[in-house]
Amino acid sequence: MSVVIVVGAQWGDEGKGKVVDLFTERADVVVRYGGGANAGHTLVIDGQKLVTHLVPSGVCHPGKSCVLGDGMVIDPHTLLEEVAQCQARGLLVRDELLIGLGAHVILPYHKLVDGLREDHGAKRGKAIGTTRRGIGPAYEMKAARRGIRVRDLLRPERLAELVARNLDDLGPVIEHLGGTRPSKDEVDGWIRDAVAAGERLRKHTGDAGRHVARAIAEGRHVLFEGAQGCLLDLDHGTYPYVTSSSTIAAGACQSAGIGPTQIDAVVGITKAYATRVGEGPFPTELHGDEGERLRKAGGEYGATTGRPRRCGWLDLPALRMGVRLSGMQSLALTKLDVLAGMAEVYICVAYQLDGRELDEPPTDPDDLARAQPVYTKFPGWGPLPSDARDVTDLPAPARAYIDAIERMAGVPFCLVSVGPDRSETIRLHDPFA
Ligand code: GDP
Ligand code: IMO
Ligand code: MG
């Protein structure tokens, strides 16, 4: 196996950063596909924390090629800040970074429109709860064939033309949403900043698709890092409460421009419970003290926006859907330690809707909002040993919980994570083997 995709199985924040960091030990190339700085991937190595938003989470393995695929939407200033942060830690100093020239660019007006839409929507109870990072507007412009790409940052005249055209389109939208059209000086400043950022990034840009294809042809190990999670997928997630990109495994092929026949393995990441940030139906959500307890125990606050994450019990119908959408052959289970100390834990094994039992979420969001979770109760367990390196090191009730998930999801675990640190991991199967 040489080409592996890692994908979030739920609504994001499953612990992809930690798992990608671990798997990068065996990879030569790590490719972020899809999304932008809406992602926040946390790595903890020997107690030191690093949060990546755009740069692949393989960054802590010096010398490994870190690629930003063409399917991404990149805020050049956030990327420069992140690169500087990495370099201050002695990372990305060996020319590891490659930014796809075809990736789209997020400029201040994309973020402005994202924020105005959210404010406007919130007044009508219709907000998505986006990260306000300009993701939706940037992908909209891409689909409308008016987008700005990394390659355009390197051609100031073309960039200025494209920005002017974007603002012709967006000016009335900004006003309709209660904002003020940016002044010429402001726009000129944005263009100047974008050109300067392009110049600084120029040496890292290139043909990411060919780079990845060549690595695969040479038999090197390539790891694709998904952002967000399957239930946030634009086509198959809980629309309209989704992000604007293809978050499922297929998105890796689209982003890198490689065929699905090149993929050897797909690994899904699932938490031992469920979280969601932003609006949208979440059948197993726990409110009040119960939800707060999970949030506190799991440190469930957004790595990008700091928002408290909504927390609930593990949702098997949602997980089954993720497994199906991405063709996952194995799963990594994270945050099992967070459930320790609870007298009992629950798994939603199905939904009840209009007298029928469903094994996957209904496709209509209103139906999903009405679906009633059917729970199975499991006995709880005490603190997990953080030096657990084998499932036999875990208390019997925790093992029973894992076995039940494996059985009901129909996919084996390749890894169980029992703490945020790189070391706090039980490795069961190497996806590159
Ligand atoms: P991502 O977006 O999927 O990469 O996940 P985030 O980084 O947004 O959120 C996952 C959070 O859980 C981070 O703070 C991680 O450090 C932390 N984490 C990952 N695995 C574990 C685990 O097994 N146990 C605990 N307690 N924390 C974990
Ligand atoms: P990682 O990669 C969790 C959610 C937002 C919102 C919806 C749309 O860290 O798992 P957007 O800004 O993308 O237009 O917001 O998607 N969302 C995420 N939730 N983790 C993420 O990324 C997310 N990226 C976007 O909260 O509900
Ligand atoms: Mg995250």
Side-chain angles (χ1 to χ4, degrees):
M1 300 282 186
S2 64
V3 183
V4 175
I5 300 175
V6 166
V7 62
Q10 299 162 315
W11 285 278
D13 302 326
E14 299 91 347
K16 297 176 292 293
K18 168 172 173 167
V19 175
V20 167
D21 168 61
L22 285 168
F23 288 173
T24 302
E25 274 171 18
R26 299 269 285 129
D28 303 297
V29 181
V30 190
V31 188
R32 240 305 286 278
Y33 72 85
N38 47 351
H41 297 179
T42 313
L43 286 64
V44 183
I45 301 167
D46 297 332
Q48 292 262 29
K49 181 168 152 179
L50 176 71
V51 180
T52 64
H53 299 285
L54 291 165
V55 166
S57 298
V59 66
C60 289
H61 295 265
K64 312 258 170 158
S65 172
C66 289
V67 179
L68 277 69
D70 286 342
M72 289 185 71
V73 285
I74 298 171
D75 180 332
H77 299 290
T78 307
L79 179 57
L80 280 168
E81 271 172 29
E82 206 172 319
V83 169
Q85 205 185 79
C86 289
Q87 289 180 338
R89 295 177 179 223
L91 304 169
L92 289 183
V93 292
R94 291 203 229 156
D95 198 24
E96 289 100 334
L97 194 65
L98 176 61
I99 307 160
L101 281 162
H104 280 245
V105 167
I106 293 186
L107 294 175
Y109 55 86
H110 296 111
K111 291 190 271 191
L112 174 68
V113 171
D114 195 356
L116 286 170
R117 277 215 189 108
E118 282 296 289
D119 292 340
H120 194 258
K123 285 185 206 138
R124 290 155 185 76
K126 297 255 183 248
I128 302 285
T130 74
T131 58
R132 298 175 181 245
R133 296 296 187 269
I135 306 298
Y139 278 119
E140 282 168 38
M141 292 314 238
K142 170 178 170 170
R145 291 157 297 178
R146 286 165 151 70
I148 296 178
R149 296 184 294 171
V150 169
R151 62 175 71 257
D152 303 319
L153 293 181
L154 310 177
R155 308 240 181 158
E157 273 181 29
R158 188 158 77 194
L159 176 69
E161 247 174 61
L162 288 167
V163 169
R165 193 166 167 210
N166 276 192
L167 287 167
D168 274 351
D169 286 344
L170 291 175
V173 175
I174 291 170
E175 280 178 352
H176 169 74
L177 294 171
T180 315
R181 274 188 202 229
S183 67
K184 182 171 182 319
D185 280 355
E186 207 172 355
V187 176
D188 288 346
W190 290 344
I191 294 172
R192 264 197 315 276
D193 287 351
V195 170
E199 275 315 308
R200 290 177 62 196
L201 292 171
R202 182 187 285 274
K203 63 174 181 294
H204 300 295
T205 60
D207 187 337
R210 290 200 75 171
H211 175 77
V212 172
R214 199 174 305 125
I216 295 174
E218 288 168 359
R220 300 208 286 148
H221 287 185
V222 178
L223 180 61
F224 285 97
E225 173 182 3
Q228 292 81 49
C230 291
L231 280 289
L232 289 174
D233 183 78
L234 178 62
D235 292 296
H236 304 285
T238 52
Y239 192 90
Y241 300 101
V242 293
T243 189
S244 298
S245 60
S246 185
T247 62
I248 58 175
C253 294
Q254 264 181 308
S255 178
I258 59 163
T261 47
Q262 307 279 7
I263 306 302
D264 295 305
V266 178
V267 180
I269 318 292
T270 174
K271 267 181 210 183
Y273 50 97
T275 63
R276 174 163 206 169
V277 202
E279 303 302 320
F282 181 12
T284 64
E285 181 169 14
L286 293 169
H287 299 277
D289 289 349
E290 274 184 302
E292 186 55 33
R293 190 163 155 215
L294 256 183
R295 188 174 305 117
K296 234 174 151 176
E300 297 294 355
Y301 296 89
T304 295
T305 58
R307 289 179 290 177
R309 294 173 181 155
R310 299 158 67 192
C311 297
W313 297 118
L314 183 64
D315 182 332
L316 246 298
L319 181 57
R320 282 189 200 106
M321 184 164 147
V323 168
R324 171 173 65 80
L325 290 172
S326 283
M328 294 166 195
Q329 295 136 317
S330 64
L331 283 168
L333 181 71
T334 61
K335 305 194 95 161
L336 186 65
D337 54 302
V338 173
L339 297 180
M342 299 200 173
E344 52 215 17
V345 290
Y346 293 82
I347 295 179
C348 163
V349 295
Y351 300 138
Q352 275 285 345
L353 183 70
D354 299 331
R356 286 188 305 134
E357 193 160 292
L358 307 178
D359 64 351
E360 276 202 17
T363 49
D364 190 277
D366 292 341
D367 288 342
L368 183 55
R370 289 190 304 117
Q372 289 302 315
V374 178
Y375 287 112
T376 296
K377 184 163 80 175
F378 292 80
W381 53 86
L384 300 183
S386 63
D387 61 351
R389 297 295 172 265
D390 192 282
V391 274
T392 54
D393 297 332
L394 299 175
R399 288 208 305 273
Y401 186 74
I402 297 175
D403 288 347
I405 302 171
E406 221 172 41
R407 199 176 56 251
M408 289 189 282
V411 184
F413 284 118
C414 62
L415 177 155
V416 177
S417 174
V418 293
D421 205 279
R422 198 189 247 179
S423 61
E424 294 171 304
T425 311
I426 298 171
R427 299 172 191 235
L428 300 168
H429 171 72
D430 172 6
F432 284 107

